[in-house]
Amino acid sequence: MRFAMFERDGRTGIAVSDGKRLNGLCSDHPEYPGDLDELLARGVDLQAVGRRLQAAPVVRLASPALLPLLRRPGKIVCVGLNYTAHSAETGYEVPAYPTLFARFASTLIGHEAPLVIPAVSDQLDYEGELVAVVGKGGKAIPKETALDHVAGYSIFNDASIRDYQFKTPQWTIGKNFDGTGPFGPYLVTPDELPPGCKGLRLQTRLNGAVMQEASTDDMMFDVASLVSILSEAMTLSPGDMIVTGTPSGVGFARKPPVFMKEGDVCEIEIDGVGVLRNSVVKQGA
């Protein structure tokens, strides 16, 4: 199943996609099942919800109308330096343990929503990433069963304000500007993808030019490893997001550096998951 969250006439809705159209219901419909945050929190069978939504009316939307798939995730844990070539291009040593940092829900935007260059900086960089969404919570989860805890996969642009990111040894501030966390367009359930999304091509394009391209096989810490490692420290909860890292080709490491400008279009594509597309605007312009 491929789930999307949308907004129409001021109402939130949930839909499923067959690749050509959306079928779904708005929140004021008596059979509305709830948004993805609620469904995951309640442990509802997403396949059963999806089958009901397939029989719902076709949803016709003005653009942009797709929302971030989750709007109230308890945790957004991001993984830095998870591709060897990316570690090399940024001058960091290859980590023996995942490099972890947090994002906050206030940064999240949907597919085709404007990606915002803040007024205080011109160093907005792209980072195409696979995201795993937790469906079943747990603590001290063995790697062997870790994928059983994943409800689905999506795409994330861990867009970064580089000058602010490197103001301090901790990256938090540069990763948490408003309007810099594109997320979507679909939550794809694991049955539609290889286990742990192994072997999928990830590509980031800026105005049609390929800037990043890699296989998810190149991740040093795969999805199962990340679920298990994170659960050593924290109890994972339904709806938590694990943003798994970006490959090489980021803008600030290029010579000369490439930062996104107003009017640019950034697309991130992952085989079998979809394409996340956002245009770029300047705050206050």
Side-chain angles (χ1 to χ4, degrees):
M1 294 290 179
R2 306 170 71 84
F3 290 89
M5 295 297 303
F6 65 89
E7 184 175 58
R8 187 174 66 186
D9 300 328
R11 298 168 296 166
T12 298
I14 188 170
V16 290
S17 171
D18 63 2
K20 297 179 181 179
R21 62 185 183 181
L22 292 170
N23 294 76
L25 299 171
C26 288
S27 56
D28 59 350
H29 193 282
E31 296 182 16
Y32 181 72
D35 61 24
L36 282 171
D37 297 83
E38 296 166 345
L39 296 175
L40 291 171
R42 301 199 320 255
V44 172
D45 180 354
L46 291 183
Q47 296 289 345
V49 172
R51 287 191 292 271
R52 294 201 301 273
L53 289 172
Q54 286 175 330
V58 173
V59 178
R60 305 192 188 282
L61 300 172
S63 181
L66 292 185
L67 300 171
L69 295 167
L70 302 168
R71 293 197 278 184
R72 300 178 298 279
K75 306 178 197 63
I76 306 174
V77 183
C78 300
V79 185
L81 311 176
N82 200 20
Y83 289 75
T84 303
H86 178 53
S87 293
E89 74 175 350
T90 56
Y92 288 97
E93 294 183 2
V94 175
Y97 185 87
T99 301
L100 304 171
F101 59 93
R103 260 199 186 255
F104 306 120
S106 56
T107 70
L108 299 179
I109 59 174
H111 173 68
E112 295 190 345
L115 179 54
V116 180
I117 305 169
V120 296
S121 175
D122 288 314
Q123 295 191 14
L124 175 64
D125 205 349
Y126 51 82
E127 290 193 12
E129 310 200 17
L130 173 75
V131 55
V133 175
V134 174
K136 181 173 70 173
K139 172 82 171 176
I141 299 167
K143 181 179 177 181
E144 295 72 23
T145 60
L147 295 181
D148 296 340
H149 292 256
V150 177
Y153 298 90
S154 192
I155 306 172
F156 199 85
N157 189 345
D158 185 32
S160 306
I161 309 301
R162 295 299 189 191
D163 48 349
Y164 275 77
Q165 179 182 348
F166 298 126
K167 281 179 182 287
T168 76
Q170 299 293 326
W171 298 346
T172 303
I173 189 67
K175 299 286 189 172
N176 279 288
F177 275 71
D178 292 346
T180 62
F183 174 34
Y186 305 118
L187 180 73
V188 183
T189 53
D191 58 294
E192 295 204 7
L193 297 164
C197 284
K198 287 280 194 177
L200 301 183
R201 184 193 62 157
L202 186 158
Q203 187 179 86
T204 302
R205 299 183 292 271
L206 186 61
N207 301 323
V210 176
M211 310 301 283
Q212 296 180 288
E213 187 162 18
S215 169
T216 55
D217 282 347
D218 297 336
M219 289 195 293
M220 288 176 281
F221 303 97
D222 62 14
V223 173
S225 297
L226 292 171
V227 170
S228 182
I229 290 168
L230 288 171
S231 72
E232 292 174 352
M234 62 190 78
T235 300
L236 295 178
S237 300
D240 286 349
M241 297 168 54
I242 303 173
V243 185
T244 61
T246 201
S248 62
V250 295
F252 90 92
R254 292 174 175 267
K255 300 187 187 308
V258 175
F259 295 115
M260 291 186 281
K261 308 179 300 298
E262 185 169 27
D264 284 351
V265 176
C266 187
E267 296 175 303
I268 301 164
E269 182 172 8
I270 301 178
D271 288 344
V273 183
V275 179
L276 172 64
R277 181 184 304 106
N278 299 88
S279 58
V280 180
V281 300
K282 178 71 175 181
Q283 185 179 32

